[in-house]
């Protein structure tokens, strides 16, 4: 008999499988030429991670159901058009997957450049979040070049920091709108306090109906902070001198 | 530049707040704890957390923290700071003097469920080998002692039958007198996950709690019963199951005592417990009782989770038995997704129960009156043990008031705030000649103490905790004890000063001693827990990696025993003078009597206890939300701010008990459970009146 | 002065007796007896005996008196080897 | 004898004063004591003639248009009830060249019947498809659809038969039929025409789908901007239900199927099928990743047929006449007919139903009669706001999914927006990015951030700021949008942008004087 909770128990501290582990019949597929066997219902991202491939990811994490919004875990699959997101693509027997190629490198870099075009320069150097790891994986650890055409555009740098919660703060300037916090609030905590308000470029994490974190339905379980890959939701205790944004250029 | 500091060290440990026992990674920068990260591999929490474990850890370095031992001859004297040896020698001298003057049994001890298994074990060992009596109790006396009694009597094991994850296999979840989303939030989230996956939720609780109705989680049936009618209503549920033949005859025949089953059917099948009779008495729609009974019995996999709303009654143990009976009658025990599970309060309250910190029991729930059991400990400890039961904590206070009990060693408890009838406890402590308190802060109780041992927080020591699902997890030292000694070292120091020599280099040696003397723990060791992450007892040669689900083949007591759970109304009744029934509970952001959480930023959410009252009752008293009101019971009175709430029915008022200054236990009665003396916190007849408004001073 | 206030002891004993009231007579008495034996400090039991000896215990339930009688007849400590788990068999 | 006079009641006709015309006709008839019945029909789709008043003379519909209320008296005076000549006289409507040249299958009843009249619908062949469907097994029915070669008319052109068979084979229940009427593409209005001109046809198509796949519930998602559509369709649903064509045991068969309307909340992205399902479920309209396909896990996670309004409306004719009859029209893999919508700077805006294979030029020049301004056609955007631009030289491409795709475009929902020489294509490219930025659900990053960057880059190019670097970045951004986006909104936005850059570089200042 298969138990649902076995999946939760397969979570490992040292590795983020990208999508939740699954129970299921073994399925063998090829990842970068290596035959890899994972349970059915697993994602290609999970299989690639188990195969040892380093697929950059931002919105995907193994404690949350896949979402497919960040578009950096793209791969190539024989017989499939385009570049499917590995997190939302279930494995199939005999599938042939490539996790890297010239085009994939370029595409991922192109996507991450878009993230960087709306992330504060002052928070790149010395950062150690998952976002910073992803930057290094796509070769953008230095941030966006000084003369990049994306510079000078609209950003969220002026949106105020929400420091209402005594324990953590939300800095919209660093939010990459991956919805991990929203999903953690729904799937893990079950409180449904967070949502994404607005559309398009204006999309922003919002507690309840545009309230502050403290005033909202948020119960401060910390699941959103834990889920945030980009230091946008972060413990205040990691800023012993207080949280001060760099002066805008 | 807002780059976060990067922790330089990470230690995996177990949260001490509630009975869920979440795994955390404590991260430090230069020896200072900067954050607690929920541990993905923690089997109780799978990487989830709540506000308390995740954020409210700063209490450990609050300015109120006392880090030097102190003594004084008289409670009116100023404290005198001393070194550890002086403190031990003074306390031991007083205890020995008192025993010489008033007898061996005139002293006792109470252990803390905030301490590790090893420390609790050492406390009961202290009482038995250093005090040479059985006057040892633990704080589950005032919360879950009825669980131990009631589940032992029916099923044979006073602990949860399941592991938490098992709820994901349940089709029906029955929550009785518990509010997991506030009290056990990480389990509450798991319960909500089960409901979102399609499990049907049933709730029996006087209040419309968050558990009853929250986003994507709504109870299909909620029995908002009148406080004090648990046994009546549960018998009515059983009545429906018996009358409609919804019971599992095959299970009962194979697994339970048939004669007792017949007696039980006669009892609950009587018209006395018909929903049509019970409904009006308990303030319920009879059809709701029937619906709940049918859904529960229908399963196919139905599970029960319950809390202090069941136990803290004069029929607390009887209420627990009702639940045990229901699981047996319907065959809802002994596999995944079913069972009966107490939601334990404090981090190690299950450990407190398991480790022999009882006046009548040694570790593993074995009677001190049993010569064979006692003999095994006598062999281990090389000492003769008292063969008679000792005093329970309330009885220690009772005996103190009459002058028969003179000294107590209290580890990490604050009975003045947490125990019923504050005046009685205060009088008891004042009558004692030596009160030794071991705590982080000068608690309300420490104000009446003669010796203060500065305790260590759970961040400052190694050991193990046992959570509400019988899971034994590692507590690891993240920082050095601020007072210089871990709690286990303090108890050993006191023990040595009392003249019983023993020595441990590390708490792992204590767990080895527990394993040698306790069958359910016989397979446990630090090395094994380290290797497996955590282990659920029983862990022995039959189950070397522990046991997730109990009662799969037989019950520990052999045949399951249906107990006869006749309903007796509590003598605490609403009258013209005290027309409302006060019930108590807790809120998410505060923990128990608030000793720790009040010393964190959690006060941002809840900085005072408030009185929830229905709009009807408020209107009749001219009260609005925000008004101050005086609450008076037969035992005392206090003042609280009023909040008009739809969560309580007319006739019922509710408050939390997290703040010392609100003194809610001024109100509570000294009624208690017939079997265990667990206080009846959940029913107190009160009246509420508008507090007299201070006149503004003219011209000011 | 009693070890614990008599009123409190009487209340506790009667509560125990009330629980066992639905059982057949022999088990009812045995249940109360076992509970007093296994859960009560001997000084509490003695205080109850003293009270009964002094007053006859008129406020006590009849089967408390019967249980106490059984309890006082038995040898003091060694017979109660079996762990308490509900009322005994007939 | 009563004379039937038809005055259209769809949104375009109403905007052009059809209600006043209808009132004037009734008033004049009363004043003259003439026995006239004014019937509100749907539009014939020849908008330059709207309001097109038709008089039924011995079963032949004679047209007068465009009629304004002020014209009505003169029409009566001229004796239009008898078909007399008048400056607005058009002769028999079905002989109007632009009408006669069409192949009306899906829109056969359109403009002919009163959209709210079930009797009218049945009299004109309504429910013939459903009646036949009830005599076929679900498998036989699926074979008919597969044989017809019908492809989804919403834009993706996925074979309808394959989609339906996937749902039919799915085990889970209940199954749903969802009709996507969130017609948000600029220059498109065919769905609205069905809602307002022949809604029973949509209901019939959905019921046939339900029969084919075993569905029991249907949802019609209509954008809130279409109040007349909502009203007309609701009236049709009520009428069909009263007459037993919806609900339990339809037409005495074992088919039970009912339909409800859900009104959108103004988000373009809710036209994307998965966003629409989220919206119907009461959630924020954001795109779901696929798989799972909606065919297997659609509405409320259950197997769901999601098709465009036009797709469902095409089905009754196919089932009534046989899949092979439908497949006889068209070219290559583009079978049957398409309701093309001509808009923009066009002389004769219209809905034109023609078989696949006709060229875009023929549609624009023959049916559309060139630009409204009279200046030469400079560009035509085919397939809505995310479709590619074709320059005048490129207009000979055939109306054919594959041919248009090969030419770097997409046929989409069949909308064509015409521009004359005055158009600035840099502005149009910017509009495409701006449209994407305005309508992005915000879920995936290429669309959420990239569309805003796209607007900024085009602005800098147009302003002459670091033109080459920004141009290069814009092309790279188009690659990221096309290959990296979660759904077609971001994925297709590069189409108009790239085609504008490729065909009209001068508008961006990207070619030197030499080329001009």
């Amino acid at each position: 008999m298969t138990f649902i909770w076995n999946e939760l128990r397969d979570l490992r501290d040292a590795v983020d499988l990208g999508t939740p582990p699954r129970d299921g019949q073994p399925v063998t597929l090829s990842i970068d030429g290596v035959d890899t066997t994972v349970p059915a219902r697993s994602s290609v991202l999970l299989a690639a991670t188990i195969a040892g491939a380093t697929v950059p990811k931002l919105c995907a994490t193994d404690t949350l159901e896949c979402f497919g919004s960040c578009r950096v875990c793209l791969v190539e699959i024989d017989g499939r058009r385009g570049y499917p997101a590995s997190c939302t693509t279930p494995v199939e027997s005999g599938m042939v997957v490539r996790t890297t190629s010239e085009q994939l490198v370029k595409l991922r870099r192109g996507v991450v450049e878009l993230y960087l075009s709306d992330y504060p320069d002052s928070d790149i150097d010395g950062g150690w979040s998952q976002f910073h790891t992803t930057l290094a994986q796509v070769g953008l650890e230095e941030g966006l070049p000084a003369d990049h055409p994306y510079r000078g555009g609209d950003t969220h740098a002026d949106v105020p920091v929400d420091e209402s919660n005594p324990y953590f703060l939300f800095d919209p300037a660093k939010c990459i709108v991956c919805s991990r916090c929203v999903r953690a609030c729904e799937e893990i905590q079950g409180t449904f306090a967070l949502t994404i308000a607005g559309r398009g470029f204006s999309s922003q994490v919002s507690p309840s109906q545009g309230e502050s974190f403290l005033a909202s339905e948020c119960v401060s379980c910390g699941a959103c902070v834990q889920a945030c890959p980009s230091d946008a939701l972060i413990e205040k205790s990691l800023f012993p001198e207080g949280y001060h944004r760099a002066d805008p250029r | 530049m807002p780059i976060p500091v990067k922790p330089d060290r990470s230690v995996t440990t177990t949260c001490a707040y509630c009975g869920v026992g979440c795994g955390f990674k404590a991260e430090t920068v230069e020896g200072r704890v900067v954050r607690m990260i929920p541990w993905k591999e923690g089997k109780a929490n799978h990487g989830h957390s709540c506000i308390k474990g995740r954020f409210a850890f700063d209490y450990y370095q609050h300015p109120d923290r006392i880090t030097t031992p102190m003594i004084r001859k008289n409670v009116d004297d100023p404290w005198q700071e001393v070194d550890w040896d002086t403190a031990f020698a003074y306390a031991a001298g007083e205890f020995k003097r008192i025993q010489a003057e008033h007898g061996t049994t005139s002293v006792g001890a109470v252990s803390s469920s905030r301490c590790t298994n090893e420390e609790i074990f050492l406390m009961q060992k202290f009482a038995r080998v250093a005090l040479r009596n059985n006057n040892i109790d633990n704080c589950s006396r005032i919360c879950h002692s009825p669980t131990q009694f009631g589940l032992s009597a029916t099923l044979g094991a006073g602990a949860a039958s399941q592991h938490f994850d098992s709820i994901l296999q349940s089709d029906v979840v029955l929550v009785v007198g518990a509010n997991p989303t506030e009290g056990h939030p990480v389990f509450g989230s798991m319960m909500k996950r089960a409901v979102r996956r399609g499990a049907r939720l049933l709730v029996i609780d006087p209040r419309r709690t968050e558990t009853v109705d929250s986003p994507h989680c709504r109870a299909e049936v909620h029995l908002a019963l009148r406080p004090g009618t648990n046994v009546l209503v549960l018998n009515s549920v059983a009545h429906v199951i018996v009358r409609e033949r919804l019971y599992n005859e095959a299970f009962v025949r194979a697994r339970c005592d048939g004669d007792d089953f017949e007696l039980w059917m006669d009892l609950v099948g009587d018209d006395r417990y018909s929903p049509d009779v019970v409904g009006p008495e308990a303030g319920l729609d009879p059809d709701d009782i029937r619906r709940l009974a049918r859904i529960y019995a229908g399963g196919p996999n139905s599970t029960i989770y319950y809390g202090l709303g069941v136990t803290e009654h004069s029929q607390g143990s009887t209420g627990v038995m009702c639940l045990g009976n229901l699981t047996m009658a319907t065959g809802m025990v002994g596999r995944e997704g079913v069972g009966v599970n107490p939601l334990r309060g404090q981090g190690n309250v299950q450990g407190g129960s398991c480790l022999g910190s009882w006046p009548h029991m040694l570790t593993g729930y074995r009677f001190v009156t049993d010569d064979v059991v006692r003999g095994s400990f006598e062999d281990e400890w090389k000492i003769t043990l008292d063969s008679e039961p000792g005093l329970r904590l309330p009885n220690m206070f009772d005996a103190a008031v009459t002058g028969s009990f003179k000294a107590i060693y209290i580890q990490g408890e604050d009975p003045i705030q947490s125990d019923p009838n504050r005046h009685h406890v205060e009088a008891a402590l004042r009558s004692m000649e030596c009160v030794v308190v071991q705590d982080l802060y000068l608690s309300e109780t420490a104000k009446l103490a003669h010796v203060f041992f500065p305790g260590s927080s759970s961040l400052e020591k190694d050991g193990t905790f046992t959570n509400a699902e019988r899971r034994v997890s590692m507590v690891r030292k993240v920082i050095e004890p601020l007072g210089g000694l871990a709690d286990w070292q303090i108890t050993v120091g006191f023990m040595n000063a009392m003249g019983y020599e023993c020595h441990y280099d590390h708490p792992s040696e204590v767990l080895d001693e527990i394993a040698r003397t306790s069958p359910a723990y016989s397979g446990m060791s630090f090395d094994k827990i380290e290797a497996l992450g955590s282990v659920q007892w029983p862990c022995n040669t039959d189950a070397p990696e522990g046991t997730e689900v109990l009662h799969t083949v037989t019950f520990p007591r052999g045949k399951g025993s249906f107990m006869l759970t006749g309903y007796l109304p509590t003598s605490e009744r609403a009258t013209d003078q005290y027309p409302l029934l006060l019930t108590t509970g807790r809120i998410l952001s505060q923990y128990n009597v608030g000793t720790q959480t009040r010393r964190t930023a959690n006060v941002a959410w809840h900085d005072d206890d408030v009185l929830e009252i229905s709009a009807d009752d408020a209107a009749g008293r001219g009260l609005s939300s925000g008004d101050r009101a005086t609450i008076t019971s037969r035992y005392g009175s206090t003042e609280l701010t009023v909040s008009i709430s739809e969560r309580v029915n007319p006739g019922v008022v509710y408050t939390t008990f997290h703040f010392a200054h609100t003194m809610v236990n001024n109100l509570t009665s000294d009624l208690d459970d017939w079997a265990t003396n667990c206080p009846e916190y959940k029913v107190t007849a009160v009246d509420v009146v508008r507090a007299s408004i201070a006149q503004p001073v003219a011209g000011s | 002065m009693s070890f614990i206030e008599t009123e409190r002891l009487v209340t506790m004993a009667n509560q125990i007796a009330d629980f066992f009231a639905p059982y057949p007579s022999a088990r009812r008495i045995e249940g109360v007896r076992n509970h007093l034996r296994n859960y009560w400090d001997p000084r509490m039991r003695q205080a109850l005996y003293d009270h009964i000896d002094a007053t006859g215990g008129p406020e006590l339930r009849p089967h408390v008196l019967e249980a106490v009688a059984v309890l006082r007849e038995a040898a003091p400590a060694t017979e109660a080897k079996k762990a308490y788990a509900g009322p005994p068999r007939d | 004898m009563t004379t039937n006079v038809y005055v259209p009641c769809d949104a375009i006709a109403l905007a052009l004063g059809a209600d006043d015309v209808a009132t004037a006709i009734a008033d004049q008839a009363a004043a003259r004591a003439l026995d006239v019945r004014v019937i509100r029909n749907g539009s014939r789709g020849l908008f330059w003639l709207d309001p097109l008043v038709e008089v039924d003379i011995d079963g032949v519909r004679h047209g007068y248009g465009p009629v304004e209320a002020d014209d009505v008296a003169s029409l009566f005076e001229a004796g239009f009830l008898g078909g007399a000549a008048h400056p607005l006289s058009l002769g028999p409507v079905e002989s109007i060249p632009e009408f006669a040249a069409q192949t009306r299958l899906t829109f056969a009843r359109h403009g002919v019947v009163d959209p709210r009249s079930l009797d009218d619908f049945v009299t004109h062949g309504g429910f013939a498809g459903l009646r036949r469907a009830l005599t076929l097994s679900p498998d036989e029915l699926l074979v008919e659809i597969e044989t017809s070669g019908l492809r989804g008319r919403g834009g993706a052109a996925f074979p309808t038969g394959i989609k339906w068979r996937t749902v039919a084979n799915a085990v889970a229940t209940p199954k749903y039929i969802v009709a996507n009427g969130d017609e948000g593409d600029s220059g498109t209005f065919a769905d609205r025409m069905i809602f307002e001109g022949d809604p029973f046809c949509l209901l019939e198509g959905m019921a046939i789908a339900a029969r084919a796949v075993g569905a029991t519930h249907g949802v019609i998602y209509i954008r809130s901007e279409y109040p007349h559509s909502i009203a007309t369709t609701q009236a049709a649903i009520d009428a069909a239900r009263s007459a037993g064509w919806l609900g339990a045991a339809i037409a005495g068969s074992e088919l039970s199927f009912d339909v409800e309307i859900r009104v959108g909340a103004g988000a373009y992205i809710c036209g994307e099928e998965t966003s629409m399902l989220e919206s119907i479920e009461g959630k924020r309209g954001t795109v779901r990743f696929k798989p799972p396909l909606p065919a297997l896990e659609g509405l409320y996670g259950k197997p769901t047929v999601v098709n465009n309004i036009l797709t469902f409306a095409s089905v009754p004719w196919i089932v009534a006449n046989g899949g092979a009859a439908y497949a006889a029209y068209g070219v290559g893999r583009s079978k049957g007919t398409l309701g093309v919508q001509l808009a923009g700077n066009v002389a004769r805006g219209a809905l034109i139903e023609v078989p696949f294979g006709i060229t875009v030029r023929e549609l624009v020049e023959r049916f559309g009669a060139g630009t409204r301004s009279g200046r030469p056609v400079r560009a035509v955007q085919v397939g809505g706001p995310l479709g590619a631009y074709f320059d005048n030289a490129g207009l000979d491409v055939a109306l054919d999914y594959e041919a248009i795709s090969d030419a770097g475009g997409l046929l989409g929902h069949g909308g064509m927006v015409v521009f004359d020489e005055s158009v600035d294509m840099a502005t149009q490219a910017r509009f495409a990015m701006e449209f994407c930025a305005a309508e992005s659900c915000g879920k995936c990053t290429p669309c959420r951030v990239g569309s805003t960057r796209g607007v900024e880059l085009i602005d800098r190019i147009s302003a002459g700021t670091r033109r080459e670097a920004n141009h290069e970045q814009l092309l790279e951004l188009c690659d990221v949008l096309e290959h990296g986006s979660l759904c077609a909104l971001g994925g297709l936005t590069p189409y108009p942008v790239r085609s504008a850059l490729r065909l009209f570089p001068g508008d961006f200042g990207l070619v030197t004087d030499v080329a001009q």
Side-chain angles (χ1 to χ4, degrees), chain A residues 4 9 13 167 189 221 237, chain B residues 34 41 48-49 197 548 602:
Chain A
I4 301 160
R9 291 176 178 202
D13 199 35
Y167 294 119
Q189 167 59 23
C221 70
S237 58
Chain B
V34 292
E41 294 182 36
H48 192 34
S49 56
R197 285 180 189 227
E548 291 188 325
N602 279 26

Side-chain angles (χ1 to χ4, degrees), chain A residues 7-8 10-12 15-22 38-39 41-50 57 59-68 73 85-91 180 183 187, chain B residues 40, chain D residues 289:
Chain A
E7 300 177 355
L8 289 170
D10 284 341
L11 296 172
R12 288 292 163 263
V15 60
D16 185 346
L17 297 167
T19 59
R22 299 294 188 210
V38 294
R41 297 167 59 233
S42 299
S43 70
V44 169
L45 177 58
L46 180 140
T49 309
I50 285 177
K57 58 182 182 295
C59 73
T61 185
D62 57 8
T63 52
L64 297 171
E65 293 301 320
C66 63
F67 192 61
C73 72
S86 59
C87 63
T88 57
T89 307
V91 293
R180 272 167 64 160
R183 291 180 283 144
E187 295 174 27
Chain B
K40 264 165 85 179
Chain D
F289 55 81

Side-chain angles (χ1 to χ4, degrees), chain A residues 66-71 74 82-83 88-90 103 106-107 110-111 113-115 117-118 147-155 176-177 195-201 203, chain D residues 265-269 284 287 289-291 437-450 452-453 456-457 460 466 469-470 473 476-477 479-480 483-486:
Chain A
C66 63
F67 192 61
S69 78
C70 79
R71 317 312 287 174
L74 307 177
Y83 305 89
T88 57
T89 307
Q103 182 60 25
K106 202 174 156 205
L107 200 49
V111 174
E113 283 176 350
L114 288 171
Y115 281 111
S117 73
D118 189 18
D147 61 346
H148 196 281
Y150 285 162
R151 284 191 174 276
D154 196 6
T155 70
I176 61 170
V177 201
T195 187
I196 302 288
R199 295 200 311 219
F201 194 75
S203 301
Chain D
Y268 174 77
I269 196 61
R284 187 168 178 267
V287 176
F289 55 81
K290 293 185 275 195
E439 300 296 352
S440 166
C441 77
K443 181 168 176 178
C444 80
T445 303
C447 180
R448 176 174 58 85
V449 182
T452 292
R453 296 290 167 257
E456 292 162 359
L457 291 172
R460 286 188 206 120
R466 293 178 68 210
N470 282 308
Q473 190 65 46
E476 275 186 29
L477 174 63
D479 282 348
V480 170
H483 299 302
S485 296
L486 181 57

Side-chain angles (χ1 to χ4, degrees), chain A residues 74-237:
Chain A
L74 307 177
V75 293
E76 295 175 352
I77 300 174
D78 278 6
R80 304 252 174 134
R81 280 189 300 143
Y83 305 89
S86 59
C87 63
T88 57
T89 307
V91 293
E92 286 173 18
S93 183
M95 197 178 241
V96 177
V97 178
R98 279 175 305 285
T99 67
T100 188
S101 73
E102 199 181 329
Q103 182 60 25
L104 282 172
V105 167
K106 202 174 156 205
L107 200 49
R108 287 179 191 147
R109 205 182 147 93
V111 174
V112 174
E113 283 176 350
L114 288 171
Y115 281 111
L116 281 171
S117 73
D118 189 18
Y119 197 88
D121 275 338
S122 58
D123 295 291
I124 303 290
D125 189 31
W128 45 278
S129 72
Q130 191 185 336
F131 180 66
H132 294 84
T133 305
T134 306
L135 292 183
Q137 285 168 349
V138 301
L140 284 166
E141 59 272 35
E142 305 286 321
L144 214 53
D147 61 346
H148 196 281
Y150 285 162
R151 284 191 174 276
D154 196 6
T155 70
H156 291 83
D158 296 334
V159 184
V161 180
D162 181 343
E163 297 195 63
S164 61
N165 189 294
Y167 294 119
F168 61 86
L169 58 87
F170 173 61
D171 185 349
K174 294 197 212 175
C175 175
I176 61 170
V177 201
C178 62
S179 292
R180 272 167 64 160
C181 52
V182 178
R183 291 180 283 144
C185 193
E186 294 177 1
E187 295 174 27
I188 298 176
Q189 167 59 23
T191 290
F192 296 79
L194 299 182
T195 187
I196 302 288
R199 295 200 311 219
F201 194 75
S202 309
S203 301
Q204 191 181 308
V205 172
S206 169
S208 299
Q209 296 291 318
E211 295 189 87
S212 73
F213 270 86
L214 186 64
S216 74
E217 301 292 308
C218 167
V219 295
S220 296
C221 70
C224 55
V225 180
Q226 181 69 3
C228 179
S230 66
D231 289 351
L233 278 160
I234 192 163
E235 297 88 349
K236 287 181 174 176
S237 58

Side-chain angles (χ1 to χ4, degrees), chain B residues 498-529:
Chain B
M498 286 295 293
Y500 183 88
E501 285 300 324
C502 67
H503 177 80
Y504 301 92
D505 282 326
H506 189 268
S508 63
E509 296 163 15
V510 183
L511 183 60
D512 293 343
E513 185 172 322
I514 295 169
R516 282 197 299 278
T517 54
S518 317
Y521 281 74
S522 64
M524 287 210 197
S525 67
F526 269 44
D527 287 346
K528 180 176 281 182
I529 299 167

Side-chain angles (χ1 to χ4, degrees), chain D residues 18 26 63 78 80 89 110 154 176 199 272 280 378 466 513:
Chain D
F80 85 121
S89 172
H110 220 274
Y176 294 98
E272 195 281 334
I280 294 172
R378 184 160 189 242
R466 293 178 68 210
D513 292 340

Side-chain angles (χ1 to χ4, degrees), chain B residues 615-655:
Chain B
D616 279 6
D617 291 328
R621 291 166 173 76
L623 287 166
S624 317
S625 286
D627 287 351
R628 294 289 288 177
T630 303
I631 299 93
T632 311
S633 74
R634 295 182 180 93
Y635 313 93
S637 77
T638 191
E639 202 177 288
L640 291 169
T641 301
V642 164
S643 170
I644 295 175
S645 170
E646 293 182 348
R647 292 195 186 280
V648 288
N649 282 338
V652 177
V653 291
Y654 167 88
T655 189

